[in-house]
Amino acid sequence: MKNIFKSLFIILSVIAVSCNTDDVQDRPVIEGKDAPVLTAPEDANAYILLPENMAQQAERFVWTKANYNGEVAIDYTIEMDASGGDFSNPQILGSTSGTLQASISVETLNTACLALGATPYTAASFDVRVVSDANNFDRMASNIVTITVSPYTTETPKLWMPGSYQSDSGYGSNWTHATAAQLASEGFGNTNFEGYVYFGSTQVSPNDGFKFTDAGDWNNGIFGDDGTFSGALTSPGDNIGVTPGYYRVTANTTALTYNMTPTSWGIIGNATAGGWSTDTPMTYDSNTKKWSVVATLTTQASPDNGLKFRANGAWDINLGDSGADGQMEYGGDNIGTTAGTYLIELDLSNPRQYTYTLTAQ
């Protein structure tokens, strides 16, 4: 009986091995046969991207299924490179598992363009493709489609003001871009810059003073005085000398002009002790970079009543708050007040982003 069972076991084992071997031999070899084909977008499509549309779809990428000689899970990645690039360091627009299409947003496409060196608001050509991957088996790239994209930027252009004034004025070490005062443009593509800068000591040109640069280093545009010291810029020009004071600084790197207006700030309005006829002066602190005053105010309703900030006891430069949001605008609405004593602070250190606070004492 034992021999019978032993014989049956041997026979069944041989059958099992034979079946498993056949299964392996009949199983298809997983290897890349046919790469995916990118069918959308079409070659030469053009896109003008705008920040107000950043959440919208820029394009729906569509491609055919890759063939790996069998049913396997396939991942797809959408890659983008500068036109004529070798995709050695591409930007990834998106990826899917099995799905043969992907919606790519305006923001995603814009970010990729800028990372590949595109200039905002300037059309540039890019190559896009789809790459398939089957569980780490052969990666296969689709055909390349070339598209044209005009990206945008939400970054406001700046001018840096490195100089010998910095250590005496609360801006870190002299001639150091990282801590230098800055001016801001009205928007991308606009070369009219503005900001407020404190100079704590006299700086005599041409050995001392400051220059304007359009980047946080010395490797790009450099602008100094043309030697006449009449408000004209040239590149690289002479250092611009200064005398102590708190200045509204403007510069235009297209018109090649600059202007420096000394300012001293105060509050005025029917909420203040001086009414609309006499300013209450404020004091500047180079450590906090803020103007401040402690003042007793009355209750006044905006926009007809309240208070404003103004420079030099005149209305040429005055700031109000049209949105009642703590953000200031030139010639803005009067600031409404509630009766009490307040620490009033004006912060002009962030160019074109001027703010104030009223803190009850």
Side-chain angles (χ1 to χ4, degrees):
M1 182 66 69
K2 288 182 179 179
N3 291 334
I4 293 173
F5 279 117
K6 189 180 294 184
S7 300
L8 286 172
F9 177 76
I10 293 171
I11 292 169
L12 292 173
S13 297
V14 170
I15 292 172
V17 171
S18 176
C19 290
N20 288 339
T21 302
D22 289 343
D23 287 345
V24 172
Q25 291 174 343
D26 292 340
R27 191 177 300 160
V29 177
I30 302 303
E31 59 181 350
K33 290 290 187 181
D34 301 309
V37 176
L38 186 60
T39 58
E42 297 180 349
D43 207 51
N45 273 13
Y47 307 84
I48 299 176
L49 308 182
L50 298 173
E52 57 265 32
N53 300 330
M54 64 172 61
Q56 298 179 13
Q57 175 181 285
E59 179 60 88
R60 182 173 296 279
F61 283 68
V62 181
W63 56 92
T64 62
K65 183 178 180 181
N67 177 13
Y68 279 88
N69 198 35
E71 289 301 319
V72 292
I74 305 175
D75 295 325
Y76 298 95
T77 303
I78 305 170
E79 297 183 343
M80 186 167 98
D81 201 354
S83 183
D86 60 5
F87 288 92
S88 58
N89 188 29
Q91 289 295 303
I92 306 302
L93 296 180
S95 60
T96 71
S97 294
T99 307
L100 302 180
Q101 57 179 277
S103 175
I104 305 303
S105 70
V106 167
E107 183 177 18
T108 297
L109 184 57
N110 190 76
T111 299
C113 290
L114 296 179
L116 291 169
T119 300
Y121 304 105
T122 301
S125 294
F126 300 92
D127 291 339
V128 292
R129 70 180 187 180
V130 173
V131 176
S132 62
D133 186 330
N135 295 326
N136 296 319
F137 286 100
D138 296 348
R139 295 179 79 247
M140 294 190 296
S142 74
N143 55 309
I144 292 174
V145 171
T146 300
I147 60 176
T148 300
V149 186
S150 297
Y152 61 84
T153 182
T154 57
E155 181 178 349
T156 300
K158 300 274 194 345
L159 281 183
W160 282 255
M161 293 175 55
S164 58
Y165 71 93
Q166 290 181 239
S167 63
D168 290 341
S169 310
Y171 296 98
S173 300
N174 289 343
W175 299 105
T176 302
H177 279 88
T179 54
Q182 296 180 8
L183 310 183
S185 165
E186 292 177 325
F188 190 86
N190 189 304
T191 58
N192 187 30
F193 296 86
E194 180 200 83
Y196 288 87
V197 185
Y198 173 67
F199 298 96
S201 59
T202 298
Q203 303 296 319
V204 180
S205 179
N207 293 325
D208 296 315
F210 70 89
K211 284 187 175 178
F212 299 106
T213 67
D214 61 12
D217 53 45
W218 297 104
N219 301 322
N220 293 273
I222 302 172
F223 304 91
D225 195 275
D226 70 350
T228 66
F229 298 97
S230 60
L233 293 173
T234 190
S235 182
D238 292 333
N239 295 330
I240 299 170
V242 295
T243 55
Y246 191 84
Y247 291 80
R248 181 190 185 193
V249 183
T250 60
N252 191 308
T253 54
T254 297
L256 293 177
T257 59
Y258 73 95
N259 184 65
M260 299 179 63
T261 303
T263 64
S264 181
W265 287 82
I267 56 172
I268 192 168
N270 59 353
T272 72
W276 289 108
S277 59
T278 305
D279 292 76
T280 301
M282 305 179 78
T283 301
Y284 180 72
D285 187 331
S286 61
N287 293 315
T288 64
K289 295 184 174 59
K290 295 178 181 178
W291 290 85
S292 67
V293 64
V294 175
T296 299
L297 306 176
T298 61
T299 299
Q300 301 293 338
S302 176
D304 295 327
N305 301 293
L307 66 83
K308 275 191 167 184
F309 299 87
R310 71 175 186 172
N312 304 330
W315 290 107
D316 295 346
I317 305 175
N318 75 89
L319 292 166
D321 183 0
S322 295
D325 56 2
Q327 301 291 321
M328 311 207 72
E329 302 84 25
Y330 285 113
D333 290 343
N334 298 328
I335 298 166
T337 57
T338 301
T341 299
Y342 295 85
L343 170 63
I344 303 171
E345 295 180 296
L346 173 64
D347 188 351
L348 305 176
S349 63
N350 188 7
R352 295 192 186 276
Q353 299 293 323
Y354 308 132
T355 61
Y356 71 95
T357 57
L358 277 66
T359 305
Q361 300 297 288

